[in-house]
Amino acid sequence: MVNSTVVDHEIIIVGAGFAGIGTAIALRKAGFDDFLMVDDADGAGGTWHWNTYPGIGVDIPSFSYQYSFEQQRTWSRVYAPGRELKAYAEHCVNKYGLRPRIRFSTSIVRADFDDALHLWRLRTGDGEELTARYVIGATGVLTRPKLPEIAGVERFTGVTMHTSRWDHDQDLRGKRVGVIGTGASAVQVIPEIAPEVAELVVFQRTPIWCLPRPDTALPPVVHRLLGLPGGKLVTRWLSQAFVELTFPLAAHYYGVLPMSKLGERTGLAHLRDQVDDPEVRAKLTPDYALGCKRPSFSNDYLKTFNRSNVRLDTEPIAEITATGVRTAAGHHRVDVLIMATGFKVMESGNMPTFDLHGSGGVRLEDWWDEHRLQAYEGVSVPGFPNFFTIIGPYGYNGSSYFALIEMQTRHILRLLRKARGSHATRIEVTEEANERFFEEMLNRRGTQVFWQDSCTRANSYYFDKNGDVPLRAMTTPEGFWRAGHFDFADYRFTALGTRSGSTVEAAARTTVR
C-alpha cells in the first residue's frame, strides 16, 4: 500500500536566528532541500536582530561564537560587538542561498500534529495554515523579553523600554535614568550610557559574578595570521578550550575540578581592583557560588559604580510611581526606565514560542507541567512525533550556542536520513529512551554547581518552576559523540498505512504543492 500526502514543505523551521540558519544550512548540505524558515522578525539573526542596545556584544570569544564550517577572520575584537554578529547572520543567509526560503514577519501561533496523515498543521498569526512533515523548533531563548512584575509599572509617565527592544530615537543625554536588573544585558549597557546621562540609578536584586574580560581589538596582522593554513583552526581550539573550562567543566564538574574556586578568587580580585568604595563593593559581591547563574565578563561594568552620577540601590522595589521608583532607600525620580530584566527562558510561552499540540492533541506545555521539563538528548519529546528542537530541555550544556546548534542538527539529520532511507513518515522517541536519558541527567546532578546550598540565593533563570536545571550535564565533546551515535532503537520509525510502533512495511511518498 502506497500513501500520497500533500504537504506544503517537507520541513518547516520556526526561527531564522543562528539556530534556524545553522539548521537550514545543514539540511541543504544533506540533500533536504524542501524546507521553509518562518520568523516573526523582519530580518535574520534572532537575538542579534532584536537586541541592539548600546554596548551589546558576545560574552564568549568570537572564535567560538560562529559556525565551525563558516569561520570568519575579520572580527574587529576578540569579543565581537552585536552589529558584527547581525552582519554575520546576514552573510550566512546570503552565502548559503537561504533568503528565498525565509518568510519574515510571520508568526507561528499554533501547531497541531495530524495523526492520520503524519504531518504538522501550523497556523500563522494571520490565520494561514502551513503543513509540513517535520517541524524543527529553532526559536532560541534570548528573544522573548521578560518584564518585571512590579506594582505600579503601568503608572510611570516617563519613557520605558526593555533592553531587547531598544528605542534608538530616545536621547539619554542629560536624563535621569533607572536600570532595573544587573544581568548580562545590564553589565553591557550600564557602562555605555553612564557617561552621557545626568544621573543613573541601578536597581540590583542579585549581584552578578563579573570576571575580567580578555578582550582586545584585532589588528589587520591578526586577520592575516588567521588566513594562514591552520590559523583559524588553532585559534578556534584555544577559544573552545577557554569556553569549556569557564562553564561546562566548571559548572558540571564543580565537585571534581577546582576551576570555579579559581574563578571566584579571580572575580573577587577583579571587584577589589575595580570598585573604590568598600560599601558599594560589598553590595556588588555575590553570596553564591560562581556558576549558579551565568557569570559575565567585563572590564568596565564594576568601575562604573565609581562615577559620581551613578548610584546602586539594592533594596527591594516597593513600587513604580508616575515619576520614578520607590524602595526602602527612598524615591528615585527618573525620566527613563530601562528594564534589563532578561528573557523568558525556562518558562511557558518560550519553549516553544507557539502553542504546540502533539499526538492525540496533547499540549506540550501541559505535558511538561505534568512530567517536568525534559527531552531526549535535548531534541525529542515522546508523544510529539516529527517535532525536533534545537534548544530543548537538557540540550544546552553552557558552551557556545553554535556548538549546540551543530550538535543538535547532527542528531536530527541522522533521524531524517534514517526515515528517508526506510520510507518512514513518522519519527517518535520512545518513552523508555526518554525516561532513561532523563534519569541519567538527574543522576549527574551530584557534581554540578547548581546544587550547592548557596545557589538558592542566586535567582538564576537556570532553575525552572520545578526546581530543576534542564542543562545538559556533560562536556561538549561527549554531546557531539552522542549526537552521532545514539541508538536508532530509541526511536520508532513508522510509515503511513502501518500501526505506530510496527515495522515500516509501506512506502510513503511526499508530494510538494
Side-chain angles (χ1 to χ4, degrees):
M1 178 180 177
V2 176
N3 292 282
S4 176
T5 303
V6 177
V7 294
D8 294 319
H9 297 279
E10 183 179 13
I11 303 163
I12 287 181
I13 304 167
V14 185
F18 282 121
I21 294 168
T23 300
I25 294 171
L27 289 173
R28 293 205 71 176
K29 288 182 175 180
F32 291 88
D33 293 313
D34 179 24
F35 63 84
L36 175 71
M37 303 168 68
V38 182
D39 199 294
D40 56 1
D42 59 3
T47 295
W48 304 100
H49 174 84
W50 290 114
N51 290 265
T52 60
Y53 57 81
I56 185 172
V58 297
D59 61 358
I60 66 171
S62 309
F63 311 113
S64 291
Y65 202 80
Q66 58 182 339
Y67 301 117
S68 64
F69 56 82
E70 187 61 33
Q71 295 184 50
Q72 185 165 284
R73 60 186 181 91
T74 57
W75 301 114
S76 65
R77 306 190 64 84
V78 174
Y79 289 76
R83 64 180 180 277
E84 293 184 20
L85 271 299
K86 168 65 174 173
Y88 178 64
E90 298 289 353
H91 160 78
C92 292
V93 165
N94 293 332
K95 177 175 179 177
Y96 292 93
L98 303 181
R99 200 164 298 278
R101 300 165 181 265
I102 307 177
R103 282 185 56 174
F104 290 118
S105 303
T106 302
S107 297
I108 299 298
V109 296
R110 181 174 174 128
D112 293 271
F113 187 71
D114 188 323
D115 280 298
L117 298 178
H118 293 188
L119 57 81
W120 283 96
R121 300 185 183 279
L122 296 88
R123 191 168 71 233
T124 71
D126 296 328
E128 179 185 3
E129 181 178 272
L130 301 171
T131 56
R133 176 73 67 218
Y134 307 104
V135 171
I136 299 176
T139 49
V141 295
L142 303 179
T143 55
R144 294 291 189 271
K146 182 177 182 178
L147 297 175
E149 297 178 359
I150 302 174
V153 66
E154 73 286 347
R155 296 201 303 267
F156 182 62
T157 57
V159 174
T160 303
M161 56 181 166
H162 193 277
T163 49
S164 67
R165 300 295 185 270
W166 195 266
D167 185 353
H168 291 276
D169 292 332
Q170 297 297 327
D171 187 354
L172 300 184
R173 288 175 296 182
K175 300 286 181 64
R176 296 170 300 187
V177 178
V179 175
I180 298 178
T182 53
S185 299
V187 166
Q188 294 183 340
V189 75
I190 285 171
E192 289 293 316
I193 65 174
E196 64 182 44
V197 304
E199 297 177 18
L200 177 61
V201 184
V202 177
F203 299 95
Q204 173 185 277
R205 180 177 62 170
T206 309
I208 189 170
W209 277 104
C210 187
L211 304 174
R213 191 178 195 180
D215 190 22
T216 185
L218 298 175
V221 65
V222 173
H223 298 154
R224 288 194 291 271
L225 289 173
L226 288 172
L228 296 175
K232 286 188 288 188
L233 180 63
V234 170
T235 306
R236 183 175 177 83
W237 274 106
L238 290 172
S239 177
Q240 290 289 88
F242 172 77
V243 172
E244 198 75 6
L245 282 169
T246 54
F247 194 93
L249 287 173
H252 299 308
Y253 300 93
Y254 179 86
V256 179
L257 302 172
M259 277 86 73
S260 284
K261 294 298 184 184
L262 175 62
E264 288 176 9
R265 289 196 293 271
T266 302
L268 292 174
H270 185 52
L271 183 58
R272 287 193 299 271
D273 253 5
Q274 294 260 305
V275 182
D276 299 334
D277 188 324
E279 186 176 335
V280 174
R281 194 187 310 140
K283 291 179 178 180
L284 291 168
T285 302
D287 64 349
Y288 56 88
L290 176 64
C292 292
K293 63 192 299 182
R294 193 173 185 95
S296 193
F297 295 83
S298 175
N299 300 325
D300 303 309
Y301 170 68
L302 294 172
K303 65 184 180 184
T304 303
F305 293 96
N306 296 327
R307 297 182 59 90
S308 60
N309 67 329
V310 177
R311 285 180 290 166
L312 177 66
D313 191 335
T314 59
E315 297 291 337
I317 295 176
E319 64 171 341
I320 295 177
T321 69
T323 57
V325 180
R326 188 184 307 282
T327 74
H331 182 261
H332 303 275
R333 294 180 65 87
V334 297
D335 306 307
V336 180
L337 196 55
I338 297 171
M339 307 294 187
T341 47
F343 304 89
K344 294 180 178 179
V345 180
M346 310 290 184
E347 299 180 32
S348 299
N350 191 60
M351 294 181 65
T353 56
F354 50 94
D355 201 16
L356 186 136
H357 297 252
S359 183
V362 176
R363 188 168 177 255
L364 181 56
E365 285 191 359
D366 293 339
W367 193 92
W368 274 333
D369 281 344
E370 181 180 352
H371 299 279
R372 297 154 66 183
L373 282 179
Q374 53 182 292
Y376 174 72
E377 298 287 345
V379 173
S380 306
V381 180
F384 297 85
N386 295 4
F387 174 73
F388 316 111
T389 179
I390 301 297
I391 309 179
Y394 299 98
Y396 180 51
N397 74 338
S399 179
S400 167
Y401 275 115
F402 283 83
L404 169 70
I405 293 162
E406 294 185 36
M407 186 189 309
Q408 304 304 68
T409 52
R410 187 183 189 193
H411 184 122
I412 294 167
L413 281 172
R414 285 193 75 214
L415 295 175
L416 296 179
R417 289 192 187 100
K418 172 71 172 176
R420 177 173 282 186
S422 59
H423 306 292
T425 53
R426 175 171 172 147
I427 307 169
E428 183 178 359
V429 68
T430 67
E431 293 182 359
E432 294 77 15
N434 179 72
E435 289 173 4
R436 184 181 69 244
F437 176 75
F438 186 48
E439 284 299 316
E440 179 188 3
M441 291 298 99
L442 296 183
N443 289 336
R444 291 192 180 197
R445 284 182 171 183
T447 60
Q448 288 183 308
V449 67
F450 313 114
W451 311 107
Q452 309 303 309
D453 290 342
S454 69
C455 283
T456 59
R457 301 188 291 273
N459 291 311
S460 173
Y461 66 70
Y462 290 153
F463 291 85
D464 65 18
K465 63 185 178 183
N466 295 307
D468 294 328
V469 178
L471 296 179
R472 181 181 284 202
M474 65 182 67
T475 64
T476 303
E478 182 186 354
F480 267 104
W481 188 89
R482 292 170 69 127
H485 294 85
F486 64 87
D487 192 339
F488 282 125
D490 287 348
Y491 283 88
R492 286 188 292 268
F493 295 83
T494 55
L496 283 168
T498 63
R499 297 189 314 276
S500 176
S502 65
T503 304
V504 175
E505 298 172 344
R509 183 175 70 252
T510 297
T511 303
V512 181
R513 180 177 292 149

